[in-house]
Amino acid sequence: MLFKQQALLRQKLFVLGSLAIGSLLYLVARVGSLDRLQPLCPIDSRFGPRGQDEIPLRALQFKRGLLHEFRKGNATKEQIRLHNLVQQLPKAIIIGVRKGGTRALLEMLNLHPAVVKASQEIHFFDNDENYAKGIEWYRKKMPFSYPHQITIEKSPAYFITEEVPERIYKMNSSIKLLIIVREPTTRAISDYTQVLEGKERKNKTYYKFEKLAIDPNTCEVNTKYKAVRTSIYTKHLERWLKYFPIEQFHIVDGDRLITEPLPELQLVEKFLNLPPRISQYNLYFNATRGFYCLRFNIVFNKCLAGSKGRIHPEVDTSVITKLRKFFHPFNQKFYQITGRTFKWP
């Protein structure tokens, strides 16, 4: 009898404990979401005087909840007016480079409460059909944000498309431009790997990387191969410099963003005149994925898509050596132009 009473008591205590924990988690989630939905005090009162170009922080902005409804088109005009939300043209664009880490950079910058990201690649400036729809069409593709937040979009094709620099210049000649790069040979192989995976999903065959990267007639590097051409960073950058001064560009080290993201993100915060808000708390290493994941608050975490970090096929070492030798003079010129040196072989 005593044994049954003790068992019943333990069962009741377990139920009460579960209810208490559940209530606590609900309150934490509720407070976290409210913090992100309600603008707090302006940054002036917490950080002292700021530069003329520095953007006031609106605390934890609409990144989920109500803003999610706005993105889906479920919000009324009255709701938008009440929350003082607008769709703004981007004040900064990640223009490239493909397979350099553009998605990772965008998602990590979105940790900052003064940044709002365009979730999809808009392809406005590199697509003639989209560009013909006009700047208002482009603006309406942007997410809702507070007036003092900055919107960022990314379309890696911008960097290598000839018409894009002039088109962006016509929209905003003072826009800030982010370029994330990786070691050129590694980037080219990653580019190939993504295309190869797409072919395999469709049960199609594809040439080996070596056959595409090396011209079989001359045995030299094949500059007609797009993956090789994209990695000649200086050639593309020189075209952009006809319209924008180098001060409007910030070069992000994509290799370092993988292994040591925080210092790279802090440099971007400074470039964008943002108060430092991204900390080590927001980044934690996921050993299973082999990448850093993002922590927005105690409730909400996010890892990049599983397609990131694909395993590269083995490539003949002589081809890798030839490519690195080919890229070397272009890399040296890239260092000189940007003022940033990388430890590329």
Side-chain angles (χ1 to χ4, degrees):
M1 184 69 177
L2 181 61
F3 177 77
K4 287 184 178 180
Q5 289 178 340
Q6 289 176 340
L8 184 60
L9 180 61
R10 282 196 298 269
Q11 187 176 6
K12 287 182 178 179
L13 288 173
F14 176 78
V15 171
L16 289 172
S18 299
L19 288 171
I21 292 171
S23 300
L24 179 61
L25 288 174
Y26 171 79
L27 288 171
V28 169
R30 182 66 177 164
V31 169
S33 63
L34 287 174
D35 281 346
R36 300 187 75 82
L37 289 174
Q38 296 175 0
L40 303 180
C41 57
I43 185 172
D44 309 56
S45 62
R46 288 178 287 150
F47 295 94
R50 65 172 186 273
Q52 187 175 1
D53 295 331
E54 193 170 277
I55 297 168
L57 185 61
R58 287 285 190 162
L60 300 173
Q61 94 279 19
F62 288 88
K63 294 204 174 170
R64 280 173 299 284
L66 190 56
L67 183 55
H68 181 62
E69 294 303 309
F70 293 162
R71 286 173 177 164
K72 292 193 300 182
N74 295 340
T76 65
K77 290 182 179 180
E78 181 64 15
Q79 285 176 313
I80 294 170
R81 186 189 66 78
L82 284 172
H83 293 285
N84 197 27
L85 293 174
V86 290
Q87 286 174 292
Q88 305 183 82
L89 290 172
K91 292 186 175 72
I93 300 179
I94 301 172
I95 59 174
V97 176
R98 172 181 161 92
K99 305 314 300 174
T102 57
R103 173 55 61 183
L105 177 60
L106 183 66
E107 296 293 343
M108 288 179 179
L109 288 178
N110 194 48
L111 288 164
H112 199 292
V115 171
V116 181
K117 69 179 176 73
S119 297
Q120 303 298 321
E121 294 179 7
I122 311 299
H123 288 287
F124 177 65
F125 297 102
D126 65 311
N127 183 298
D128 291 340
E129 184 178 340
N130 287 343
Y131 190 68
K133 294 174 182 177
I135 202 72
E136 189 62 17
W137 176 89
Y138 179 55
R139 187 181 66 80
K140 288 181 178 178
K141 291 290 182 181
M142 295 299 136
F144 285 95
S145 62
Y146 286 122
H148 295 296
Q149 291 176 313
I150 67 170
T151 299
I152 299 180
E153 78 122 324
K154 74 104 175 172
S155 293
Y158 289 168
F159 185 59
I160 63 171
T161 305
E162 192 170 337
E163 300 82 6
V164 171
E166 183 179 5
R167 289 175 175 179
I168 292 181
Y169 180 84
K170 287 179 179 178
M171 178 190 73
N172 181 358
S173 61
S174 61
I175 196 166
K176 298 200 171 187
L177 303 165
L178 294 163
I179 305 172
I180 180 167
V181 295
R182 296 189 67 193
E183 191 276 313
T185 301
T186 302
R187 195 222 62 83
I189 295 172
S190 181
D191 199 331
Y192 165 84
T193 304
Q194 178 169 304
V195 176
L196 175 65
E197 186 179 278
K199 297 284 186 182
E200 288 176 343
R201 280 200 304 266
K202 298 175 182 177
N203 294 319
K204 293 183 178 180
T205 57
Y206 196 50
Y207 294 111
K208 290 187 69 175
F209 176 79
E210 292 88 340
K211 191 169 184 178
L212 294 168
I214 305 297
D215 188 323
N217 297 318
T218 63
C219 294
E220 297 300 327
V221 173
N222 179 16
T223 54
K224 294 180 180 179
Y225 178 39
K226 188 176 180 180
V228 168
R229 210 164 56 245
T230 300
S231 284
I232 307 175
Y233 304 138
T234 185
K235 290 289 186 183
H236 306 293
L237 182 58
E238 284 172 343
R239 183 171 60 250
W240 283 85
L241 290 173
K242 293 176 183 177
Y243 295 91
F244 300 97
I246 193 64
E247 291 77 19
Q248 282 177 234
F249 296 87
H250 178 73
I251 311 300
V252 180
D253 186 341
D255 294 307
R256 191 184 183 202
L257 191 72
I258 296 171
T259 60
E260 198 179 357
L262 185 57
E264 287 298 316
L265 295 172
Q266 290 171 334
L267 290 173
V268 178
E269 284 179 323
K270 186 176 181 180
F271 173 70
L272 296 177
N273 293 322
L274 294 172
R277 274 293 167 272
I278 303 174
S279 68
Q280 198 60 58
Y281 169 80
N282 301 118
L283 303 159
Y284 66 95
F285 187 75
N286 186 311
T288 303
R289 288 176 174 267
F291 283 92
Y292 278 87
C293 292
L294 317 179
R295 181 186 290 116
F296 287 86
N297 55 38
I298 194 171
V299 176
F300 183 67
N301 298 339
K302 180 178 182 179
C303 288
L304 297 179
S307 60
K308 304 301 176 185
R310 296 178 181 89
I311 298 175
H312 293 178
E314 287 189 17
V315 177
D316 190 294
T317 53
S318 65
V319 171
I320 292 176
T321 301
K322 187 181 286 287
L323 283 168
R324 285 177 173 169
K325 185 177 180 181
F326 169 80
F327 287 126
H328 182 75
F330 297 111
N331 295 342
Q332 296 301 310
K333 192 171 183 180
F334 186 70
Y335 301 160
Q336 292 171 4
I337 293 173
T338 62
R340 183 158 194 187
T341 302
F342 299 92
K343 297 177 181 179
W344 294 339

